[in-house]
């Protein structure tokens, strides 16, 4: 009896259409700025690591910068594919 009442009430609610929050345009603008900053930081990291790699090669020191280059490239791949990853996770 109670289950039938709950089912009838649930059936009357319907399927609401999604609506964007009031400040969603500002949030999306902030996300775009953050994406731009992340891509710029990745480019700067690759340039810095490349310069350091050249300096280490020239001065004959230990080669630590190839790890930095690989890390910057992996970070760039993750940063640029974050939207695709989130779409796959959320659905």
């Amino acid at each position: 009896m109670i289950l039938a009442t709950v089912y009838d009430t649930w059936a009357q609610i319907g399927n609401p259409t999604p609506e964007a929050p009031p400040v969603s345009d500002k949030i999306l603008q902030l996300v775009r700025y953050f994406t731009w900053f992340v891509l710029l930081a990745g480019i700067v990291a690759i340039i810095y690591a490349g310069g350091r790699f050249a300096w280490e090669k020239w001065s004959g020191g230990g080669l630590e910068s190839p790890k930095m280059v690989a890390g910057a490239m992996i970070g760039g791949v993750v940063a640029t594919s974050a939207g695709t990853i989130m779409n796959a996770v959320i659905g």
Side-chain angles (χ1 to χ4, degrees), residues 6 12 14 16-18 20-22 27 38 45 52-53 57 70 77 83-84 89-90:
V6 170
Q12 293 173 4
T17 57
I27 293 172
V38 166
R52 187 167 173 187
F53 180 68
K57 195 89 162 149
V77 167
T84 306
V89 170
I90 293 175

Side-chain angles (χ1 to χ4, degrees), residues 1-12:
M1 180 72 166
I2 295 173
L3 187 59
T5 306
V6 170
Y7 179 74
D8 288 341
T9 305
W10 186 259
Q12 293 173 4

Side-chain angles (χ1 to χ4, degrees), residues 47-87:
I47 291 171
Y48 173 75
R52 187 167 173 187
F53 180 68
W55 178 260
E56 289 174 355
K57 195 89 162 149
W58 182 70
S59 66
L63 294 178
E64 292 293 323
S65 56
K67 296 175 196 171
M68 292 173 58
V69 172
M73 292 181 139
I74 291 170
V77 167
V78 170
T80 55
S81 62
T84 306
I85 293 170
M86 288 306 295
N87 284 337

Side-chain angles (χ1 to χ4, degrees), residues 5-38:
T5 306
V6 170
Y7 179 74
D8 288 341
T9 305
W10 186 259
Q12 293 173 4
I13 292 176
N15 190 10
T17 57
E19 185 176 322
V23 292
S24 64
D25 55 337
K26 298 291 183 186
I27 293 172
L28 287 175
Q29 184 178 13
L30 184 66
V31 168
R32 283 188 216 110
Y33 286 161
F34 183 69
T35 302
W36 181 83
F37 177 74
V38 166

